[in-house]
Each structure stands twice: as structure tokens, then as C-alpha cells.
Amino acid sequence: MKVSQDLSILFHLRYDNMNPSGKATICVRITVTGFPRDGFSLGYKVDPTKFNKEAGIFMGKSAEAIEINNQLQHVRGELLRHYNLLKKQGSAVTPTMIKNAYLGVHQEKRTLLEVVDFHNGKFKEKVDKGKRENSTYKKWLTTKDKITAFLSGVLKMKDIPLERIEFSFAEDFFDYLTLTEGIQDNTAMKYLKNTKQLLKLAVQRKWLQCNPLQDYVCSYINPERDILTVAELSTLYHKQFSIPRLQEAKDAYVFMTLTGYAYKDAQLLTPDSITKYFDGEDWIVKNREKTWCRENVPLLPLAKEILRKYREHPHCVANNVLLPIKSNQRFNGYLKEISDLCGIQKNLTTHTARHTFATTVTLANGVPLETVSAMLGHKSIRTTQIYAKIVASKVSDDMRALKNRFNLSLPDSMLSVAVA
């Protein structure tokens, strides 16, 4: 029986567990438009021939009939009452929510954006206490913006109950990000990874029984990584600029190639970051800003030379830092000028400096992968293995060129022996 525009309450018989006397169980089925139906047994077993399925009543004037019909009327009224109460709360009402409310099963129901706000609120507290970075917090705020835009633009919803999220949510969200917003695949996968993490949090908080996106694989395409060769790094090091801002940016960049520090880490280095370590050498000992993993790096002579150069620089003295590094936007702009003036046909960024340290400076010179991983502050050595592949490719190219030169330099008599 339809009791409102969206709600339908139907009393019916279940015949699968009929008792020996042929009686069936009275059940109630709750239907709300747009949601899977739900229901439960009322516990009464009756003669099927005396039950009016259209009217949903037990026929007759016996005491049993009066009791059952009074109970059916009471159940219908209570289900409608709980439905109206849940509607007033402003969230979508499902048949399961109505059933649980009637049966006294009080489960705290959450929506996806409520979980996002809970997570971001906790994250902001950590930022305020200096335990997490504000830049990472901003990425979580952007994740919320992307989810909100997807819900509104594709699902036509302001929010979505956690129990309504299915595996297809991830596929549709990815398509929206890449096709509608034009976001690159790897960036879109980061938003999907964050969404999976939010649903995992909901499961841990017992707001959701299981993570519907648990089996969704966030696959990434490893981008081509620019690295400087020894010749390019040498050109950069020896190049002198009469313009102070370019000279300072060039020196800071070279320092990054010699230490592996990212932009933010290099910018925040202070004199206290340098210490005489167990071997009596100068090391930079600090936690990486991005992952908070230890990133201890022995200072090479050229790196120490650059630091000495800026020991009395006004910017360094005023801000108690080791290098005169300006804002990231300006710094990258200066690097573009520098690459043009040096004739380096590569996009110089703080990332290429870090990649160059991992490959040209360390791995290509025999430094073990585990050591490089520790100096880069990687949580997993698998991240560092990406650079090992680059080095292997470089070794292959270099050996191929060497083989060609070597063969050409051999006398004909030796060539025939070599071929044999």
C-alpha cells in the first residue's frame, strides 16, 4: 500500500518456511523510490486462505484476527512515523533506515561529504599543531571540491549516503575527472586514491560495513623524467651570471642536484640543519617536509662551497636560512631563463634536480640503491627503483655507443676475430 509519494508499505506472506499445518509468515515490505527495498517478519503465522493480500489484512472477526490487524495497523503507522522523522533530518531515507529505526537498531548513518569534512577537520588540527603540512591540507580541500562537483554534475546529488556508493562510483568519477574536467590520468588517480582512503576511514569508524572501492586499482603511468647529464651539470656549474637573481637560482639548483633536496626542503634549510655526524663529516640531518621521513645527506665538497658563498647573504642572514631561494613560481621562472642561456634543451625544475641527484650524481656512480633511497627520504625502496630503471637505460645507450666506437677502432684482422 502506497502511504506517501515515495514510500510504500506492503504486508505479504512468506511461504518458504510454512509450518506443518500449512500456515505462512506475515512480513512487511518497505519500498522507497530510488532505493533497494527491505523488510522483516512480524512473527505471525496464519492460514493463507484467510489473508487478503490486496488489503493487507487478516480476514475474520476472531480475537486472533483483531489482534493481528491491530498490530498491522500499528506497524504501518510506526513505519510512516519513522519515515517522516528521518525525512526531517534532511538526508536521503532508505528502507533499511526505516526498518532499523522501527526495530530499534540505531546505527549512525553518514554521507560521503560528512566523512570528508570529518577527515579534513582532523587533518586541519594536525596542521595547526605543526604535525602536517598546510599544502597537503589544501590538496584534501581540492579533493572535496572534485567530489562535490562530480556529485552535482553527474549524479545530480548534493551528497550521497555511504551505503549507496558502489564500485561504479570510482569508474564514473575517473571518467568525470579526465573527460569533463580534462585532468591528466595520474592526477585523477590521486583523487581516486584519496576517495578510497576516505571510505577506508568510514569502515574503520564503523560508519560503513565494507569499502566498495577496495578492489579498485589506482594505476599510474610513470612519466618520462628529465635528468641532467654530467656534461650538462658541468655546464650549469661553471656558468656565471652577472644578474644576481639568476646566479642565486643557478647555485641553489646545483645544490639540489648535489643533495637531492626538493624545493621546500632546500628553502627551509637552516644553519642548524648541518651537523658533524658520526664520521666527522658535515651532514644535513632533517625530516623531509612531504613525508616526514628522515633525509640525511652527507655534503659533497661542491655543495659546501655553495653554502659558504651565501653564508653572509642578506636574505640568508635575515631569514636564518642557508640559501637565498625565492618563491617557487619565481624560482621556476628563473630556471627557464637559465636553461635557455646555458643551451640546455631540458625543462629545469626542482624535480629535475632531485632526479639528477638520484641518477647522474649517485646511482650512475655506483652508490647502492638502498643508500640513495635513504638520502631521498623515500618511504619505500620501490619508489627509488624508478630511478634505477632510468640509469639502466642510460647504461645501455652508453654501452651501445661505446660498442660502435670500439668496433670502428679495431683493425680489420681483429674485427674478423671479434665477429667469430
Side-chain angles (χ1 to χ4, degrees):
M1 177 183 294
K2 204 168 184 65
V3 295
S4 75
Q5 185 175 357
D6 297 319
L7 175 65
S8 175
I9 299 173
L10 173 68
F11 295 104
H12 64 98
L13 297 180
R14 195 172 70 198
Y15 297 93
D16 58 351
N17 62 345
M18 292 178 64
N19 62 17
S21 61
K23 292 185 176 182
T25 305
I26 300 179
C27 298
V28 60
R29 179 184 300 153
I30 309 168
T31 304
V32 177
T33 304
F35 297 93
R37 65 191 185 188
D38 203 347
F40 55 94
S41 168
L42 298 182
Y44 291 104
K45 291 185 179 293
V46 299
D47 182 350
T49 61
K50 294 182 179 181
F51 189 79
N52 187 324
K53 291 186 289 186
E54 285 72 26
I57 60 174
F58 186 66
M59 296 182 295
K61 296 183 179 180
S62 65
E64 179 188 24
I66 294 173
E67 177 189 344
I68 292 175
N69 288 329
N70 285 341
Q71 181 63 16
L72 296 183
Q73 185 176 357
H74 173 75
V75 171
R76 181 183 285 109
E78 283 298 290
L79 291 175
L80 178 59
R81 183 176 71 85
H82 285 297
Y83 171 79
N84 290 329
L85 288 174
L86 290 168
K87 285 284 286 185
K88 288 181 180 179
Q89 295 176 7
S91 60
V93 181
T94 68
T96 301
M97 291 168 65
I98 301 171
K99 180 188 77 171
N100 288 339
Y102 172 80
L103 296 175
V105 181
H106 298 292
Q107 295 180 342
E108 188 176 10
K109 298 297 180 179
R110 296 274 181 158
T111 64
L112 179 56
L113 291 183
E114 286 177 348
V115 176
V116 176
D117 289 338
F118 174 84
H119 171 274
N120 290 356
K122 290 289 186 182
F123 201 98
K124 183 63 166 62
E125 292 178 11
K126 296 176 183 178
V127 172
D128 293 340
K129 296 294 184 180
K131 294 183 179 296
R132 298 303 297 267
E133 287 300 309
N134 191 57
S135 58
T136 308
Y137 173 65
K138 290 180 179 179
K139 292 177 182 179
W140 280 107
L141 293 180
T142 304
T143 298
K144 179 184 178 180
D145 292 339
K146 298 302 180 185
I147 292 174
T148 302
F150 167 67
L151 291 174
S152 175
V154 177
L155 301 185
K156 310 302 180 185
M157 303 171 67
K158 292 183 178 180
D159 202 350
I160 183 171
L162 292 175
E163 63 267 20
R164 288 192 61 184
I165 299 176
E166 299 178 350
F167 184 85
S168 58
F169 182 95
E171 297 175 328
D172 295 340
F173 189 25
F174 179 78
D175 288 342
Y176 167 78
L177 292 172
T178 55
L179 302 179
T180 303
E181 293 209 358
I183 294 175
Q184 295 296 318
D185 287 10
N186 282 1
T187 304
M189 280 299 172
K190 291 180 181 178
Y191 292 123
L192 264 299
K193 183 179 179 181
N194 286 350
T195 305
K196 286 182 64 176
Q197 187 172 333
L198 291 167
L199 294 176
K200 181 180 179 180
L201 170 64
V203 173
Q204 292 170 340
R205 291 273 170 174
K206 300 189 183 304
W207 298 331
L208 189 62
Q209 187 173 1
C210 63
N211 188 346
L213 307 188
Q214 182 176 349
D215 295 331
Y216 185 83
V217 179
C218 293
S219 57
Y220 297 93
I221 301 173
N222 288 326
E224 291 294 326
R225 301 170 184 265
D226 277 337
I227 58 173
L228 297 185
T229 64
V230 172
E232 290 168 332
L233 189 54
S234 177
T235 298
L236 200 59
Y237 173 76
H238 289 99
K239 180 70 173 179
Q240 298 297 312
F241 296 98
S242 59
I243 304 174
R245 61 179 176 83
L246 294 182
Q247 183 65 35
E248 292 168 4
K250 187 266 293 186
D251 287 339
Y253 181 85
V254 172
F255 178 85
M256 294 178 192
T257 66
L258 299 173
T259 59
Y261 282 110
Y263 165 81
K264 194 66 175 179
D265 295 293
Q267 185 187 42
L268 296 177
L269 289 175
T270 69
D272 291 338
S273 302
I274 301 178
T275 184
K276 288 287 184 183
Y277 221 32
F278 67 94
D279 56 359
E281 297 292 335
D282 289 327
W283 287 53
I284 293 181
V285 179
K286 68 182 295 293
N287 289 331
R288 189 180 176 198
E289 291 295 317
K290 181 178 180 180
T291 61
W292 210 241
C293 291
R294 209 66 170 163
E295 193 175 17
N296 300 342
V297 180
L299 285 174
L300 295 172
L302 293 180
K304 290 196 284 187
E305 175 188 310
I306 293 172
L307 293 183
R308 282 194 296 269
K309 181 177 180 180
Y310 292 100
R311 187 176 296 166
E312 304 299 328
H313 190 281
H315 175 88
C316 297
V317 173
N319 296 280
N320 192 37
V321 293
L322 294 179
L323 294 166
I325 301 176
K326 305 302 191 300
S327 70
N328 197 17
Q329 185 176 6
R330 287 186 180 182
F331 188 64
N332 284 325
Y334 297 159
L335 290 179
K336 188 174 188 322
E337 291 185 60
I338 291 169
S339 63
D340 291 339
L341 292 171
C342 291
I344 297 175
Q345 303 299 316
K346 290 176 181 176
N347 183 27
L348 297 189
T349 67
T350 55
H351 291 297
T352 61
R354 188 167 166 82
H355 302 332
T356 299
F357 172 77
T359 53
T360 306
V361 175
T362 55
L363 288 173
N365 286 293
V367 178
L369 189 67
E370 295 81 3
T371 302
V372 176
S373 182
M375 289 192 292
L376 291 175
H378 285 164
K379 286 185 176 180
S380 170
I381 199 170
R382 292 177 59 186
T383 306
T384 321
Q385 286 172 339
I386 297 172
Y387 300 114
K389 294 177 183 177
I390 297 174
V391 172
S393 175
K394 181 179 182 300
V395 169
S396 176
D397 293 340
D398 291 345
M399 290 303 294
R400 186 179 297 109
L402 174 62
K403 182 172 62 177
N404 292 335
R405 290 195 301 271
F406 182 72
N407 284 341
L408 288 174
S409 64
L410 288 175
D412 290 343
S413 59
M414 292 185 65
L415 278 174
S416 60
V417 175
V419 172

